[in-house]
Amino acid sequence: MREVECDSQYRRTLVSKRKTPLPVACLVLALLALPPTGGHALAQSDAQYFSATDQTVRGRFLEYWEAHGSLQQQGYPISGELREKSEIDGKVYKAQYFERAVFELHPENPAPNDVLLSLLGVFEYQHKYPSPSGAPGQQPNTSSGSTLFKETGKRVGGVFLDYWQTHGGLAQQGYPISEEFQEKSDLDGKTYTVQYFERAVFEMHPENQPPFNVLLSQLGTFAHKPKTGSPVTFVTQDGLTLGGLVYGRGTTAVVLSHSCVRRGKAVWNEIAQSLASVGYMVLTYDFRGFGDSKSGTRTASNDPHTYILDLQAAVAFARKQGATRLVLGGGSCGGAATLKVAVSAKPDAVIVLAAPVQFYDMVISDDELRSITALKLFVSSEDDPLAKDILHMYDVASEPKQKRIYPGAAHATSILDTDSGDDLMNLLMTFVQASAPVAALR
């Protein structure tokens, strides 16, 4: 097993920006009954899908997960790969959330330091105990064999030291940032002996047999929760209530329409979180008849024009939230609705993934394509049946415009789940930031 050395610059501390108190313990006894990984391998040798959370881990993140404690130490993946602004240096990195950690990819570092862990323990400790003296009632562990860490002036001993030494040490847990103290668990209301480290919170459970006498807080889970989008509703012109999620804040809104598939708005989750991380307000929503918008009747089979009404309502909602600039994006039928609405909505940019020129009786005319003066991005897989439609629309559309054709036959947002997914994520992030830049988050 390779051990990752500590990056001293990455360990700089700062005040946490989170507003929601986080629980500090999570029982992991259920791990005894789980299979080693809780997932099954995909066709790609460097990827693994976890049915428990419907997430996939790939490449270097999977290598790190497997080499550094896997399920027991890191927990299940709870997000896909995101592009997220670091609270440490303000730069944007590829990241993935796990129940007990957040992995960041730093390709500027040589392996094994190209994967670093976020300082979740620091963020939580400074959030809960902002006083210069930290948590009250701290008592250093001075038992035989305890160790003083001169970097932070804190001692670690007993079962906490044993756990620290046998579960990744400095690279995985970081330095201790508190002494031991008593803390009431936000999870079960009981009081436990805890100690905070840069990347973890240790909680003592003497009633459990080793190694479960020390349990880790699910800091990754609770850090991720505020970033999953806030539920919202809005009403269409014909009186139907639609459900959506708003990510982030800002005066530039990115409104994303899905591909009329079972997952609905969830297909945009990773790109929505990534854009929100760098300062955008992102709205994803379900068309009528899907997901959280089932108060309406699904009418794609006889009246696709209703999706135009749905998107118009989403745009109106975003503008009511303070948006002064607008990016519209959609895949397949959502891409067709995006183009129709873009004619009158006058967005700053338009993203279209494998949309049809004609969707039932709704036709996107050449004149409409020419009338959209915003920067346009047309995307498809080369073997998608709608690739010819995308190429036609690109050829007819007015400048400025871009296109990207990927290998394979994945349709619309499904490209994100292929080997081209990384490139598409980078393309979408770069396109939005170039066409509708926003000021840095304050």
Side-chain angles (χ1 to χ4, degrees):
M1 181 183 297
R2 295 182 299 174
E3 188 68 25
V4 177
E5 298 176 359
C6 184
D7 183 329
S8 60
Q9 182 179 3
Y10 188 76
R11 287 188 282 101
R12 290 179 299 160
T13 61
L14 74 167
V15 175
S16 172
K17 297 179 181 178
R18 279 201 306 268
K19 298 179 180 179
T20 305
L22 307 182
V24 292
C26 176
L27 297 176
V28 294
L29 294 177
L31 293 172
L32 293 172
L34 293 174
T37 64
H40 59 270
L42 295 177
Q44 306 100 308
S45 60
D46 66 341
Q48 186 166 336
Y49 172 74
F50 293 82
S51 58
T53 56
D54 191 29
Q55 300 294 341
T56 298
V57 186
R58 293 183 170 85
R60 281 292 293 126
F61 286 167
L62 179 60
E63 291 176 5
Y64 188 94
W65 188 88
E66 291 176 333
H68 292 82
S70 60
L71 188 60
Q72 181 178 339
Q73 183 64 46
Q74 314 296 349
Y76 284 112
I78 55 175
S79 82
E81 292 182 356
L82 313 173
R83 272 65 176 171
E84 189 165 71
K85 181 178 288 185
S86 169
E87 295 189 69
I88 302 300
D89 60 15
K91 297 180 180 179
V92 176
Y93 298 100
K94 180 189 293 185
Q96 186 163 14
Y97 281 72
F98 295 78
E99 290 176 310
R100 298 178 179 85
V102 177
F103 294 6
E104 279 187 6
L105 187 64
H106 287 254
E108 73 278 8
N109 295 341
N113 294 333
D114 55 338
V115 176
L116 300 176
L117 302 185
S118 294
L119 303 179
L120 297 183
V122 170
F123 302 151
E124 171 63 353
Y125 187 67
Q126 293 188 349
H127 173 78
K128 295 188 77 170
Y129 306 105
S131 168
S133 58
Q138 298 183 51
Q139 295 292 328
N141 188 317
T142 57
S143 62
S144 176
S146 65
T147 298
L148 173 66
F149 289 80
K150 61 182 180 180
E151 292 83 0
T152 59
K154 308 300 181 183
R155 299 191 73 91
V156 184
V159 294
F160 284 171
L161 180 60
D162 291 342
Y163 189 94
W164 189 90
Q165 292 174 331
T166 57
H167 290 78
L170 190 61
Q172 178 64 43
Q173 316 298 348
Y175 287 113
I177 57 174
S178 80
E179 307 290 5
E180 295 180 5
F181 64 97
Q182 299 293 298
E183 184 177 66
K184 184 177 180 180
S185 170
D186 293 324
L187 184 66
D188 62 13
K190 298 180 180 179
T191 298
Y192 299 98
T193 298
V194 302
Q195 187 164 14
Y196 279 69
F197 294 78
E198 289 177 309
R199 299 183 174 93
V201 178
F202 292 9
E203 188 175 279
M204 191 181 300
H205 284 258
E207 72 277 11
N208 296 339
Q209 293 295 314
F212 299 112
N213 56 338
V214 176
L215 301 180
L216 299 184
S217 171
Q218 285 198 18
L219 293 182
T221 296
F222 301 117
H224 182 249
K225 188 175 181 180
K227 303 180 180 183
T228 56
S230 301
V232 297
T233 59
F234 48 89
V235 180
T236 65
Q237 292 179 13
D238 56 343
L240 297 180
T241 299
L242 305 183
L245 294 171
V246 171
Y247 302 75
R249 56 187 173 84
T251 57
T252 301
V254 182
V255 180
L256 300 172
S257 302
H258 64 79
S259 306
C260 299
V261 294
R262 178 182 57 83
R263 291 185 65 204
K265 62 182 179 296
V267 301
W268 293 111
N269 187 52
E270 280 73 38
I271 185 62
Q273 292 181 57
S274 296
L275 287 168
S277 172
V278 295
Y280 291 88
M281 173 173 61
V282 184
L283 172 61
T284 65
Y285 68 101
D286 289 320
F287 284 126
R288 61 186 67 196
F290 290 89
D292 293 329
S293 300
K294 288 184 177 177
S295 61
T297 301
R298 184 172 175 178
T299 56
S301 61
N302 55 23
D303 190 3
H305 298 277
T306 57
Y307 291 162
I308 297 176
L309 297 179
D310 295 349
L311 177 51
Q312 287 172 336
V315 169
F317 176 84
R319 286 178 168 153
K320 287 180 181 178
Q321 307 312 302
T324 57
R325 304 190 71 184
L326 179 67
V327 177
L328 297 180
S332 193
C333 68
T338 292
L339 286 168
K340 296 294 283 189
V341 172
V343 174
S344 58
K346 306 298 182 185
D348 295 271
V350 176
I351 300 168
V352 181
L353 277 65
V357 170
Q358 180 172 351
F359 183 56
Y360 292 93
D361 66 342
M362 183 175 70
V363 179
I364 303 166
S365 70
D366 289 354
D367 286 342
E368 287 175 314
L369 288 166
R370 296 187 187 101
S371 72
I372 301 171
T373 58
L375 179 61
K376 296 164 287 291
L377 173 63
F378 296 92
V379 177
S380 179
S381 295
E382 59 187 357
D383 295 326
D384 187 316
L386 294 181
K388 63 181 184 301
D389 288 33
I390 284 291
L391 292 174
H392 169 79
M393 288 190 285
Y394 172 79
D395 289 340
V396 171
S398 59
E399 295 286 354
K401 57 186 177 181
Q402 299 176 22
K403 69 176 176 181
R404 182 70 60 88
I405 306 298
Y406 289 103
H411 179 59
T413 51
S414 296
I415 299 172
L416 292 166
D417 298 321
T418 70
D419 290 340
S420 299
D422 241 15
D423 186 82
L424 178 55
M425 279 285 290
N426 285 327
L427 174 63
L428 295 176
M429 290 290 291
T430 301
F431 177 81
V432 172
Q433 289 178 287
S435 58
V438 297
L441 283 173
R442 292 190 293 271

